[in-house]
Amino acid sequence: MFKNRDIVSIRDFSRKEVDHLLKTAQKIEKTPENKLKILSGKIMGTLFFEPSTRTRLSFEVAMKKLGGEVVGFSEPALTSIEKGETLADTVRVVENYVDVIVLRHPLEGSARMAADYASVPIINAGSGAEEHPTQAFLDLYTIFKEKGRIDGLNIGILGDLRYGRTVHSLTYALSLYDDIMLYLISPPQLRMRKEVLETVKEKIRFKETSKIEEVLPELDVLYVTRIQKERFPDPAEYQKVKGAYKITLSTLEKAKKDLILMHPLPRVDEVDPEVDQTNHAIYFKQVRYGVITRMALLALVLGVL
Ligand code: CP
């Protein structure tokens, strides 16, 4: 199902395949660490052309926990890209050193192009504002672990739905599930991209709104994202929406008791740190689920599970 596959877009995967990944993650979570050295002798290459804390480190930790090795870069300025080497050539060189490549790049379409050139699997760790499929996998695993199911939930996605790649992948992913009501909450300027809505409109019920307070009491899951300042073509446009929403203790007064509050992180100012102490906040647990999900993904892509 996953062996030797590129992980470029969540749209390339069926419900059955995603469920298989989540079940594999569950098995990995239950297995003692000393029995998990199943990628011994394998090498993962990390090519990060954009900043990252979680995605790069969690892939590295996942690979190491599975007994594998890691090479790569997170400062392209120190590589031959600085001399003018193309992404296509970089990938065709690195594939000679490694068994799988994890790529983060600012350009939409970069992961697809890299996959066209590479003979080893390419895992998209974020392609511009387009997609972040492995974040969606870990988001689904988090919802499944915390709510016991994904089908039938009322899910709110709040924030920058225009430039946020995690919310694009998550929306595609949720459209694979049954009977979900999706609330897309954002300032008018940051609404979900039309191409995403066109793709999912026959598969999932959704409502767009700019008022969190109108939908909050309905929600089982609230997924908050920061405004992606770095992706605005015009800084003046960013200034107009900066600080447009913030989750505080008082916002959550009308939430269901068992609402889970997720965030792909990094957080800037959209979730008040005072919320961290509530039972709703699971964004740091979500980080741990990320390692488990990426372990499952690497094991499946490299064909050992
Ligand atoms: N969630 C996420 O992609 O975080 P990083 O940018 O730190 O990898």
Side-chain angles (χ1 to χ4, degrees):
M1 241 182 219
F2 279 81
K3 190 175 175 185
N4 289 330
R5 274 183 77 175
D6 299 307
I7 314 295
V8 170
S9 167
I10 204 91
R11 286 169 291 171
D12 299 336
F13 295 87
S14 65
R15 165 80 187 253
K16 193 172 162 200
E17 288 167 337
V18 175
D19 282 348
H20 181 61
L21 174 68
L22 302 189
K23 279 190 192 124
T24 306
Q26 264 190 306
K27 271 188 219 156
I28 283 187
E29 196 172 6
K30 286 181 190 151
T31 306
E33 287 215 357
N34 62 357
K35 299 238 167 73
L36 278 173
K37 305 296 178 199
I38 50 184
L39 288 184
S40 170
K42 301 283 185 190
I43 303 176
M44 178 181 80
T46 54
L47 313 187
F48 276 64
F49 291 80
E50 274 194 337
S52 169
T53 298
R54 278 144 294 273
T55 311
R56 187 169 68 83
L57 293 184
S58 66
F59 263 114
E60 289 194 16
V61 168
M63 192 63 181
K64 288 179 179 182
K65 279 180 182 272
L66 293 171
E69 306 276 340
V70 182
V71 297
F73 60 77
S74 54
E75 286 188 60
L78 300 180
T79 72
S80 288
I81 288 144
E82 195 64 11
K83 303 174 201 161
E85 190 161 44
T86 62
L87 176 61
D89 281 2
T90 303
V91 162
R92 283 184 289 187
V93 168
V94 174
E95 70 176 8
N96 292 283
Y97 308 142
V98 303
D99 301 285
V100 58
I101 293 174
V102 179
L103 171 71
R104 171 169 287 191
H105 197 280
L107 291 182
E108 298 186 15
S110 51
R112 187 72 71 191
M113 192 206 76
D116 287 343
Y117 281 96
S119 57
V120 299
I122 294 286
I123 300 182
N124 180 4
S127 46
E130 177 189 38
E131 273 220 55
H132 193 347
T134 70
Q135 177 73 44
F137 287 141
L138 82 87
D139 293 336
L140 292 178
Y141 190 61
T142 302
I143 297 171
F144 176 70
K145 287 290 293 183
E146 295 297 314
K147 305 301 289 181
R149 66 193 166 107
I150 299 171
D151 293 313
L153 295 175
N154 292 337
I155 300 178
I157 305 183
L158 166 67
D160 183 351
L161 311 187
R162 183 172 183 186
Y163 297 116
R165 55 191 170 202
T166 69
V167 296
H168 301 153
S169 291
L170 182 59
T171 301
Y172 291 132
L174 291 172
S175 74
L176 297 172
Y177 288 82
D178 297 326
D179 196 26
I180 286 180
M181 182 65 210
L182 188 60
Y183 295 95
L184 299 170
I185 313 148
S186 70
Q189 304 94 313
L190 299 180
R191 280 202 177 138
M192 182 61 80
R193 284 179 172 202
K194 283 207 167 25
E195 80 233 30
V196 178
L197 296 181
E198 279 298 314
T199 306
V200 303
K201 69 180 183 195
E202 307 294 339
K203 304 183 213 163
I204 190 167
R205 289 177 298 148
F206 66 85
K207 180 182 172 180
E208 293 182 279
T209 177
S210 55
K211 296 197 169 77
I212 174 73
E213 61 279 7
E214 280 181 3
V215 299
L216 185 72
E218 308 297 325
L219 301 181
D220 302 300
V221 178
L222 176 58
Y223 188 97
V224 184
T225 63
R226 75 183 166 95
I227 298 181
Q228 310 281 305
K229 180 181 177 185
E230 69 277 20
R231 306 223 185 270
F232 280 65
D234 179 355
E237 289 304 309
Y238 170 71
Q239 288 302 327
K240 285 183 197 162
V241 288
K242 185 180 171 206
Y245 54 90
K246 183 169 193 163
I247 300 298
T248 62
L249 286 179
S250 112
T251 321
L252 292 172
E253 273 169 16
K254 292 205 169 70
K256 287 183 186 175
K257 276 202 167 53
D258 61 351
L259 168 90
I260 58 168
L261 184 63
M262 298 172 63
H263 195 309
L265 303 177
R267 153 175 66 180
V268 183
D269 56 7
E270 59 284 348
V271 178
D272 194 313
E274 67 187 5
V275 170
D276 300 356
Q277 308 310 322
T278 68
N279 289 334
H280 300 298
I282 58 155
Y283 22 86
F284 294 114
K285 227 171 160 185
Q286 196 177 341
V287 171
R288 195 174 64 79
Y289 291 136
V291 175
I292 295 158
T293 311
R294 288 178 172 131
M295 287 171 81
L297 189 63
L298 287 169
L300 288 171
V301 166
L302 292 171
V304 298
L305 283 181

